[in-house]
Amino acid sequence: MRSAKLLTAAGLLASASLVLAGCSAPAPENVELRMTVWTANEDQLALFDTIADEYIAEHPEVKSITFDPLPFEDYTTTLTTQIAGGKAPDLAWILENAAPDFVSSGALADIEETLEGTEGYEFDDLNDAATALWVKDDKLIAYPFSTSPFVVFANDDLLAEAGLPSSAEIKASGWDWEAVAEAGATVNAKTGKAGFVIRDFDYTTWDNLASVWMGWGAKPWSEDGATCEFDSTEMADAFEFLHTAAFEQKSMPGPGTTADFFAGEAAFTVTQISRASLLAEGGYTWNLLPLPEGPEGEYSMVGQAGIGVMKQGKNAEVAAQFLAFFSNPENSERLAQWFPPARDSQLNSDTLAAANPVLSAEQIEDVVVPGIATGVTRPSHTDSAEIGQTVRAALDAIWTADADIPAVLADVCTAIDPLLEK
């Protein structure tokens, strides 16, 4: 059996040999659509179902629309396995780190004509920066349904317990990574709780560390993806900071140690704004701040996902029409409570505050809107699964107390150079 982890763009293209039905095809009946997602959140799925029911009520040819949650950890692998096995969904969420494979492969149907031609869709309202990752040959082939900035949540009660100023006061005196690390070290020493946590990193999901290393001006590879840059001075300095935080300052949980900010176990966490709904679980005073400055100054990063229509799906044309409904202005505004929209007209405090009542208008205006408008996505590359696994394995050597950081990063480049050259 062919491993989905080794699927390349060419493999996806071969799996997606079917094309949209021509105009002469008979009108579809009793259509059953399936869309893969990685959320199992009951509230989110309930909203999806509501939108689907509204669509079905107006389109009797559609019998059902099913949202199929797949585990996040293996999402792309499972999706590509389904495609390779001839069981592709009609629509699918696609992570930004897998976008180059899906966009370049031909696995996705061109949706631009359908979206543009849908009455009331307001296609020109889609933000250029948000759509950039999902364009092929100047045509949009996936809709950027979620553009969620990475931010810092702070637990002011835990800072006070450690005898520190509030997060707002810390920010006012100089909001950079050194300030976060120093405060985090004090929190750990005084309370035994964690200082700062890069959520979902857990010493495995290395590309989440881009939320830190971007502050040093570091990149994993060149803009064209052909040259490894893990061995740059900027990347070494960023990893020196993280290594010191974990092994010397104890401001960041070390390998094998976990801490959940939303359960009150850490003073700061770096995560996406879409996690704000978890704040209700904490019972503490919290604050929202932008990413701290690094040596290169201010920066923003977004996590993004697109919704694509699979050419190999049985009902690609109907699926594209449903996507136009799912992502129209009205539904985009409803979805904004969890998935920040890609529409310029909705990137404002009024829309986002209404959808995110847990956040203040000031927090949205000062942190969320600028983060979406200026943020860049995490690193991505074709053959993302193989490159990701290779980088992760090579980086394991850096997470020991006596690691030779420049040497380890040079080894990362040695390991991935053949993959980048493909």
Side-chain angles (χ1 to χ4, degrees):
M1 180 179 294
R2 189 178 183 193
S3 170
K5 294 180 180 179
L6 300 179
L7 274 178
T8 62
L12 280 170
L13 179 58
S15 299
S17 57
L18 298 182
V19 296
L20 288 170
C23 295
S24 60
E29 296 180 352
N30 296 320
V31 174
E32 297 180 352
L33 296 179
R34 180 172 69 93
M35 178 167 134
T36 57
V37 299
W38 60 75
T39 181
N41 181 285
E42 293 183 0
D43 293 333
Q44 293 174 6
L45 292 174
L47 177 56
F48 298 166
D49 287 337
T50 297
I51 294 173
D53 289 343
E54 292 169 356
Y55 186 79
I56 292 170
E58 298 294 328
H59 296 81
E61 73 278 8
V62 180
K63 180 180 178 181
S64 66
I65 300 173
T66 302
F67 299 95
D68 183 12
L70 305 178
F72 180 82
E73 296 78 10
D74 302 311
Y75 180 85
T76 301
T77 299
T78 304
L79 176 58
T80 51
T81 298
Q82 291 182 5
I83 296 171
K87 298 180 179 179
D90 299 287
L91 306 99
W93 286 5
I94 301 169
L95 278 167
E96 76 266 22
N97 63 1
D101 277 328
F102 280 90
V103 169
S104 65
S105 68
L108 302 177
D110 178 358
I111 60 172
E112 183 165 322
E113 184 176 346
T114 300
L115 301 187
E116 272 194 308
T118 299
E119 184 178 357
Y121 191 80
E122 299 178 15
F123 183 84
D124 291 341
D125 191 33
L126 299 183
N127 180 272
D128 289 341
T131 57
L133 195 60
W134 310 100
V135 172
K136 180 182 181 183
D137 299 329
D138 296 323
K139 294 291 186 180
L140 188 69
I141 61 171
Y143 171 77
F145 86 101
S146 178
T147 301
S148 184
F150 280 76
V151 296
V152 174
F153 288 105
N155 182 330
D156 281 336
D157 289 350
L158 194 51
L159 291 172
E161 184 181 341
L164 291 167
S166 69
S167 57
E169 293 171 316
I170 293 174
K171 179 178 181 294
S173 62
W175 186 237
D176 58 24
W177 277 109
E178 293 299 336
V180 172
E182 289 174 9
T186 300
V187 167
N188 181 257
K190 295 291 183 67
T191 71
K193 301 287 183 69
F196 72 90
V197 176
I198 311 299
R199 189 174 176 88
D200 298 323
F201 162 51
D202 295 330
Y203 293 88
T204 56
T205 312
W206 59 270
D207 54 347
N208 269 9
L209 294 180
S211 60
V212 179
W213 76 49
M214 282 185 183
W216 274 256
K219 299 179 293 184
W221 39 72
S222 57
E223 292 296 333
D224 63 5
T227 306
C228 178
E229 295 188 7
F230 269 99
D231 56 358
S232 68
T233 300
E234 293 83 2
M235 188 68 83
D237 289 345
F239 271 93
E240 288 282 3
F241 166 78
L242 290 163
H243 195 273
T244 298
F247 291 96
E248 296 179 27
Q249 290 177 304
K250 309 295 183 183
S251 57
M252 171 182 170
T257 305
T258 60
D260 183 359
F261 171 87
F262 296 101
E265 298 171 353
F268 304 98
T269 189
V270 175
T271 190
Q272 288 172 271
I273 194 65
S274 53
R275 304 281 188 167
S277 59
L278 298 174
L279 290 165
E281 302 174 7
Y284 45 77
T285 304
W286 59 272
N287 193 15
L288 176 71
L289 305 103
L291 291 176
E293 291 186 21
E296 291 295 304
E298 296 181 358
Y299 65 103
S300 300
M301 182 175 116
V302 296
Q304 195 178 66
I307 301 177
V309 172
M310 296 294 156
K311 280 185 180 178
Q312 194 184 3
K314 296 178 181 179
N315 301 286
E317 188 171 359
V318 178
Q321 292 165 359
F322 171 65
L323 177 55
F325 180 78
F326 190 83
S327 61
N328 68 23
E330 294 75 22
N331 287 324
S332 175
E333 187 168 341
R334 296 162 76 184
L335 292 165
Q337 61 185 297
W338 293 293
F339 309 107
R343 293 182 171 275
D344 285 324
S345 65
Q346 295 176 355
L347 294 180
N348 57 70
S349 57
D350 290 340
T351 299
L352 294 172
N356 296 271
V358 70
L359 304 179
S360 70
E362 182 180 5
Q363 289 171 333
I364 290 172
E365 192 69 33
D366 293 346
V367 181
V368 181
V369 173
I372 296 173
T374 64
V376 298
T377 58
R378 290 183 295 179
S380 59
H381 203 286
T382 54
D383 298 331
S384 59
E386 187 174 5
I387 291 173
Q389 291 169 2
T390 303
V391 171
R392 173 181 170 180
L395 277 178
D396 279 347
I398 219 166
W399 306 123
T400 60
D402 58 351
D404 183 336
I405 292 173
V408 173
L409 295 176
D411 288 343
V412 173
C413 282
T414 299
I416 68 171
D417 273 338
L419 302 176
L420 299 182
E421 293 170 0
K422 287 183 179 181

